[in-house]
Amino acid sequence: MACVKILPSNDCQFDETLQVKVEGLPPHKSVELRSKVVDDRGMTFKASAVYKADETGQVDVCRSPSLRGSYTGVQPMGLFWAMAPETPHRKFLKKNVLIPTRVEIEALSAETGEILASEINERGYMTEGMKRIPVREGLIRGVLFVPPGNGPFPGILDLYTLGGALCEPRASLLASKGYAVLALAYYGYQDLPKNPQTLHLEYFEEAVTYLRTRPEVCGPGIGIISISHSGSLALAMSSFLPGISATVCINSSIGNGFFPLHYKDIVIPPLTLVMKNIKITASGLLNMQAILPDDILEKSMASVPPIERASCHFLFAVGEDDLTMKSLVFAQQAAATLKKHGKQSFQVVTYPKSGHFLEVPHMPHCPSGFHGAVGSNVLFGGEPEAHCEAQVDLWERVQEFFRRHLYNKSAL
C-alpha cells in the first residue's frame, strides 16, 4: 500500500528543508505528486510534478527528478516553492505565526488520477519556548519575538515593505535562530495612520531605543533587516540614529520613497516617480523597473540619506530581475557612495534571475501582484527556481552577517 512520508514530520520550521518520499508503489510506476496550501487570506496555492518510481517502488524527491509539471529535475523543495496561486497575482500571506502553515501532499496515479496516498505537513514559525509579545509602547506598534533561553540576545528590527502593516514570518523565524526581533509596523496597522502624508524618523528612533533597552536584548548595537520601501527607511535610520551595528537592505532604493521623511529640522523629500517610464505588458501588467531612472539620484540628491555618516555595516541584496525598480543600480550607487568616503563596511550580493520579493526559504515565488504606489497589478520578476535558490542563499548570508556584526561588538 502506498504511503507519503515527510521527514522531519510535523515538528519543523517553515524555512527547513524536508525529505518527501512515496513508498509502496509498483516498481517503475509513474506517480503525480501534488501540493496545496491555503494562506491566511483564504487563497489556495498549488504545485504538481510527475515522478517515476524506482525498482523498489519508491520516489524520493531529494534524489528523483521531476519529469514534468510545475518544475523539472531534482528539486527537494519544489512542491513548496513552486506553488502558484489559483487566483493570479496573489502573494502568499501569513498573518498568524502562532498557527503553522499546513501543506497537503497527495500522490496520484499518473495514468488514472486515482489518489494513492496523502499526508499533511505543518510548517511552523515559533519554536518551543519562544515568546511573542505584542508591543504598544508610546507611539510604536509591533510584535517582539524572544527566543527561548536566558539571553540576553542580539536585537534586530524587522521592517517590511510598502503598506507598513505588520509582517511576522521573517521576524519569528529569525528569532528562532537566537535573536530578539521586533517586527515593526509603521502605518496601516491598529491605530497608526492608514494613509500617512509624511513619516517621522522619531518613530523609528523610539523603536530602536525600545529594542536596545529591553532586558532580553544585549548591546551595544542592534541590526535592521528591510526590503523594498523600508530599505530607504533603514538607510535613513543608519545615517542619523545611534545604536545600529548592521543593516540589511533587500531590493531597495538608496533614495527616500513615496513619503517625505522628517527628522528634527530635516526633511528628506521622496524621489519623484517617472510614471511615463512604466511599460504595460501584453497581459496588462505593469513593468515599473524604469520608474526610478538610473540618473534620478543625480537630480534628487536631497532625497538620499547621508549614508556616509553611518557607523554600521551594510548588506545590500539584489534580485537582478527585480522589475519594480533598478535595485542593482541603487545598491551599486550606495556602495560607491560609501567607498568614496573611505568606507569598506558593506557587501553587495546579487542573484541573477531572481525577482523583487526575496523572502525566507521555500516561500512560494510571487512574480506579480498588486502594488500600492500605482494601484494596479505589476510584475515583480524572477524565475521560480532561481528565485528559490536565491532565498535559501540569502537567508544563510543574513544570519552570518548578523552573527558577525551583532556579537562581541565594542560600544558605539
Side-chain angles (χ1 to χ4, degrees), residues 77-95:
M77 294 298 291
L79 288 168
F80 297 85
W81 59 255
M83 286 192 286
E86 284 189 328
T87 303
H89 319 308
R90 293 295 187 272
K91 186 177 183 298
F92 182 84
L93 180 68
K94 183 61 182 174
K95 290 184 177 180

Side-chain angles (χ1 to χ4, degrees), residues 112-126:
T112 67
E114 175 192 1
I115 297 177
L116 306 174
S118 65
E119 186 60 82
I120 299 291
N121 176 246
E122 293 190 345
R123 305 182 59 72
Y125 302 85
M126 303 278 291

Side-chain angles (χ1 to χ4, degrees), residues 233-272:
L233 296 173
L235 293 178
M237 294 167 65
S238 304
S239 302
F240 291 106
L241 306 182
I244 297 168
S245 297
T247 299
V248 176
C249 295
I250 303 169
N251 283 331
S252 62
S253 166
I254 187 177
N256 181 40
F258 304 111
F259 309 100
L261 181 63
H262 292 242
Y263 184 56
K264 298 179 180 178
D265 58 349
I266 300 169
V267 178
I268 303 177
L271 294 169
T272 301

Side-chain angles (χ1 to χ4, degrees), residues 16-311:
E16 193 170 350
T17 298
L18 301 178
Q19 184 178 28
V20 179
K21 290 183 177 181
V22 184
E23 298 177 346
L25 298 167
H28 310 298
K29 180 180 178 64
S30 292
V31 62
E32 180 182 5
L33 298 185
R34 294 179 181 174
S35 57
K36 182 177 79 171
V37 66
V38 179
D39 76 0
D40 287 3
R41 190 167 38 196
M43 294 293 168
T44 300
F45 294 72
K46 294 181 177 180
S48 66
V50 175
Y51 291 86
K52 189 173 183 179
D54 63 17
E55 62 277 3
T56 68
Q58 177 178 278
V59 169
D60 181 347
V61 302
C62 292
R63 297 188 294 109
S64 306
S66 165
L67 304 177
R68 62 184 183 275
S70 301
Y71 59 92
T72 58
V74 178
Q75 297 288 345
M77 294 298 291
L79 288 168
F80 297 85
W81 59 255
M83 286 192 286
E86 284 189 328
T87 303
H89 319 308
R90 293 295 187 272
K91 186 177 183 298
F92 182 84
L93 180 68
K94 183 61 182 174
K95 290 184 177 180
N96 186 356
V97 297
L98 297 175
I99 300 175
T101 291
R102 291 169 53 87
V103 182
E104 181 182 4
I105 306 290
E106 289 184 333
L108 303 88
S109 167
E111 289 82 18
T112 67
E114 175 192 1
I115 297 177
L116 306 174
S118 65
E119 186 60 82
I120 299 291
N121 176 246
E122 293 190 345
R123 305 182 59 72
Y125 302 85
M126 303 278 291
T127 55
E128 185 177 354
M130 184 189 295
K131 297 177 183 176
R132 179 188 177 277
I133 305 170
V135 175
R136 192 181 175 95
E137 294 281 338
L139 296 175
I140 63 172
R141 304 290 181 264
V143 170
L144 177 66
F145 293 93
V146 181
N150 295 326
F153 308 96
I156 297 173
L157 187 66
D158 186 309
L159 301 171
Y160 204 57
T161 186
L162 188 67
L166 204 62
C167 185
E168 301 182 29
R170 183 174 64 186
S172 58
L173 290 170
L174 264 180
S176 73
K177 313 302 181 187
Y179 300 94
V181 186
L182 174 60
L184 182 70
Y186 55 96
Y187 74 94
Y189 177 75
Q190 293 185 352
D191 58 345
L192 296 176
K194 287 185 170 55
N195 298 293
Q197 300 303 305
T198 61
L199 294 177
H200 294 268
L201 200 60
E202 284 86 353
Y203 176 83
F204 302 93
E205 186 173 37
E206 185 174 338
V208 170
T209 301
Y210 169 83
L211 185 59
R212 293 184 70 198
T213 55
R214 288 286 306 198
E216 305 93 337
V217 175
C218 62
I222 64 164
I224 302 174
I225 185 167
S226 61
I227 184 170
S228 191
H229 173 258
S230 67
S232 59
L233 296 173
L235 293 178
M237 294 167 65
S238 304
S239 302
F240 291 106
L241 306 182
I244 297 168
S245 297
T247 299
V248 176
C249 295
I250 303 169
N251 283 331
S252 62
S253 166
I254 187 177
N256 181 40
F258 304 111
F259 309 100
L261 181 63
H262 292 242
Y263 184 56
K264 298 179 180 178
D265 58 349
I266 300 169
V267 178
I268 303 177
L271 294 169
T272 301
L273 305 181
V274 184
M275 305 301 286
K276 67 180 182 180
N277 287 357
I278 295 177
K279 297 178 181 178
I280 303 177
T281 67
S283 60
L285 297 173
L286 305 185
N287 182 330
M288 295 175 55
Q289 192 177 50
I291 198 170
L292 296 173
D294 293 8
D295 64 350
I296 195 167
L297 298 183
E298 300 170 12
K299 302 174 181 178
S300 308
M301 287 306 296
S303 299
V304 180
I307 59 174
E308 65 276 5
R309 293 177 42 171
S311 59

